[in-house]
Amino acid sequence: MTRSSDQNAPREGLREHKRRETLRRITDAGMCLFIEKGYEATTLDEIAAKAGISRRTFFYYFKSKDDILLSLQNGMGDMLVAALREEPQDKRPLHAIRDAILKVCAPIPADDMIAIDRLMRSSEAVQARKQASYIQHEKALFAALRERWPKPERETGLRLVAMMAIGAMRLASDALSREDGKRPFDELLHEAFDALEGEI
Amino acid sequence: MTRSSDQNAPREGLREHKRRETLRRITDAGMCLFIEKGYEATTLDEIAAKAGISRRTFFYYFKSKDDILLSLQNGMGDMLVAALREEPQDKRPLHAIRDAILKVCAPIPADDMIAIDRLMRSSEAVQARKQASYIQHEKALFAALRERWPKPERETGLRLVAMMAIGAMRLASDALSREDGKRPFDELLHEAFDALEGEI
DNA sequence: AAATAATATCGCACTGAGTGTAATTTTCAA
DNA sequence: TTGAAAATTACACTCAGTGCGATATTATTT
């Protein structure tokens, strides 16, 4: 088989391409099995088999079984920060974050959100690490906020803003699952932020 | 050795007494080893040996290794709720919770708080489950708040209050560790709650 | 006191996650 | 083409956690 006969010429290097492919296969296999037979009941051997790799290779791509689920969650922090940077400078911190969250979450189908949320609830360890990832989001947001409002006396305030914003997001996300998607996410998020204004 | 020679007559049944003793021995052994050689590096075999029980018996007392550290954390939720119930009825929700937190945390030595906090940071899984326990505290507080302010239209608001209060507690606790106990916990907590008022 | 039930303790064998190591194969670059 | 770097694999290992069944200890009943 000569190289000239390959029609799908790799644009970004064959290595990178294969890597992405394998990563996707593992994630798909994992998600598929998790939904099919539950998170705890799915073993790494099964995932590896379905993804067509060895068990050892799985650990070349993921740090742990949890990471299959959490890789999705963990990307959120960076996305939020990026979206926040694109918000107009004159908005109040809380509104800027709210709109950043809206922008990041808008393209995610509600059904996917709910499905992943349900999966995460099925394992205590995963659920815990999801909560922990919220704290990471808070930290990331706080750092981004401080760039824009660098006065030292605002620090505690900005920490709280980040905390409240992520909290509101959590509330909206919980409500989405609880109501099983009856109302859209952006409505719930607005409601949570409005309630935040009314409180205190 | 006849029973009549026992001076420490068990008041609450020998079984209950032994149980408490064993529980304490396991916790002590665990804490001791965790501090000495780190959380991850300590095995259940070592803990069991030091506590004078078999490895299997450990699981009769704890659900997991994490639980040694988390049993301390998990009691907090109930204590907060109990303290909240004893607060005067006319206080605003946020102030009532703040004072409840103060009452619960006052008797805990700052050094202990810091030491446990440091230990929990050393394991990602434990750290994650600690964050998750905060969520449990929020839920418990929310339930307690709803008893006092049962109007349905206040629900979202009360959820947020619980969230902000626990958030402020987290902030104060983080600051305590970060400053290595330079300022007392109650000062930091007041600061966090005051900042909360100023925000929004 | 003896018999009986309930609770505690333990050992053993097992599953499954995760790691260390070293060998082999595949891709990339000189 | 050749040699370095990255990817894949097998194997053997440690450790957390579970299921099961046996034995010991404490409580309760007769």
Side-chain angles (χ1 to χ4, degrees):
Chain A
M1 207 176 283
T2 62
R3 282 176 69 238
S4 58
S5 68
D6 286 346
Q7 58 165 324
N8 52 345
R11 279 151 196 81
E12 13 111 61
L14 198 148
R15 210 171 250 176
E16 193 59 21
H17 178 257
K18 265 190 162 185
R19 183 170 183 82
R20 278 179 205 283
E21 246 314 290
T22 309
L23 207 60
R24 195 196 50 75
R25 276 211 319 281
I26 297 174
T27 313
D28 284 2
M31 284 310 216
C32 208
L33 288 165
F34 292 161
I35 291 169
E36 188 181 320
K37 53 188 291 191
Y39 177 80
E40 312 266 17
T42 303
T43 70
L44 289 182
D45 281 307
E46 293 168 324
I47 296 172
K50 184 149 189 166
I53 56 169
S54 75
R55 208 178 79 90
R56 197 64 188 79
T57 298
F58 170 85
F59 287 104
Y60 188 78
Y61 283 89
F62 289 91
K63 251 187 69 189
S64 69
K65 185 179 165 186
D66 298 357
D67 275 27
I68 299 175
L69 280 175
L70 290 161
S71 60
L72 305 161
Q73 186 75 15
N74 289 336
M76 184 73 90
D78 297 327
M79 289 198 288
L80 283 178
V81 169
L84 180 59
R85 279 195 231 278
E86 285 174 11
E87 284 295 315
Q89 298 285 330
D90 56 338
K91 273 189 192 172
R92 291 171 53 206
L94 213 49
H95 287 173
I97 303 187
R98 181 197 58 193
D99 297 342
I101 296 176
L102 280 173
K103 217 176 282 178
V104 169
C105 293
I108 307 175
D111 289 347
D112 288 10
M113 278 199 195
I114 295 172
I116 292 176
D117 193 74
R118 230 182 278 288
L119 261 181
M120 286 189 159
R121 276 177 214 280
S122 75
S123 156
E124 212 189 319
V126 173
Q127 177 69 6
R129 290 193 54 190
K130 180 190 167 186
Q131 310 298 357
S133 84
Y134 283 135
I135 311 287
Q136 296 313 309
H137 298 171
E138 278 180 31
K139 290 208 174 117
L141 272 187
F142 167 63
L145 287 173
R146 200 160 51 164
E147 283 175 23
R148 199 177 282 197
W149 293 277
K151 288 188 187 167
E153 70 268 24
R154 282 285 290 153
E155 220 187 84
T156 306
L158 291 181
R159 274 187 211 279
L160 283 165
V161 166
M163 199 195 73
M164 290 188 287
I166 296 293
M169 185 175 94
R170 242 175 52 210
L171 234 65
S173 151
D174 283 357
L176 186 78
S177 287
R178 196 165 352 106
E179 300 182 354
D180 203 35
K182 285 215 180 7
R183 283 186 293 162
F185 180 74
D186 61 337
E187 184 184 324
L188 295 165
L189 192 71
H190 268 111
E191 187 178 296
F193 272 90
D194 289 348
L196 209 48
E197 309 271 343
E199 214 46 58
I200 297 187
Chain B
M1 206 177 282
T2 63
R3 283 179 66 237
S4 58
S5 66
D6 287 345
Q7 57 165 326
N8 53 346
R11 279 152 196 81
E12 13 109 63
L14 198 146
R15 210 169 250 177
E16 192 59 23
H17 177 257
K18 265 189 159 182
R19 181 170 185 80
R20 277 179 206 283
E21 246 314 291
T22 308
L23 207 59
R24 194 196 51 74
R25 278 212 318 282
I26 297 175
T27 313
D28 284 3
M31 283 310 218
C32 210
L33 288 166
F34 291 161
I35 291 169
E36 189 181 316
K37 53 188 290 187
Y39 176 81
E40 310 267 18
T42 303
T43 68
L44 289 182
D45 282 305
E46 293 169 323
I47 296 172
K50 184 150 190 167
I53 56 169
S54 74
R55 208 177 81 90
R56 198 65 189 79
T57 298
F58 169 85
F59 288 105
Y60 189 77
Y61 283 88
F62 289 91
K63 249 186 69 188
S64 70
K65 186 180 167 187
D66 297 356
D67 275 27
I68 299 175
L69 281 174
L70 290 161
S71 61
L72 305 161
Q73 185 76 15
N74 289 338
M76 183 73 89
D78 297 327
M79 291 199 288
L80 284 178
V81 169
L84 179 60
R85 280 194 229 278
E86 286 174 11
E87 284 295 316
Q89 298 285 330
D90 55 339
K91 274 189 191 170
R92 288 172 54 206
L94 212 48
H95 286 172
I97 303 186
R98 181 198 58 194
D99 297 342
I101 295 176
L102 280 173
K103 217 175 280 175
V104 169
C105 293
I108 307 174
D111 288 347
D112 289 10
M113 276 198 199
I114 296 172
I116 292 176
D117 193 72
R118 230 182 278 289
L119 261 181
M120 287 188 160
R121 275 176 215 281
S122 75
S123 155
E124 211 190 322
V126 173
Q127 177 70 5
R129 289 195 54 188
K130 179 189 170 189
Q131 310 300 356
S133 86
Y134 283 135
I135 311 286
Q136 295 312 309
H137 298 172
E138 279 180 29
K139 290 213 175 110
L141 273 187
F142 166 62
L145 286 173
R146 201 161 50 164
E147 284 175 22
R148 200 176 281 197
W149 291 278
K151 287 187 188 167
E153 69 269 23
R154 282 285 289 153
E155 222 187 81
T156 305
L158 292 181
R159 272 186 214 278
L160 282 165
V161 165
M163 201 194 73
M164 290 187 285
I166 296 293
M169 185 176 95
R170 244 175 51 208
L171 234 65
S173 152
D174 283 356
L176 186 78
S177 288
R178 196 167 349 110
E179 299 181 357
D180 203 36
K182 286 214 176 13
R183 284 186 294 164
F185 180 74
D186 60 338
E187 185 184 322
L188 295 166
L189 192 71
H190 268 110
E191 188 178 297
F193 273 90
D194 289 349
L196 210 46
E197 309 272 343
E199 212 48 57
I200 296 187

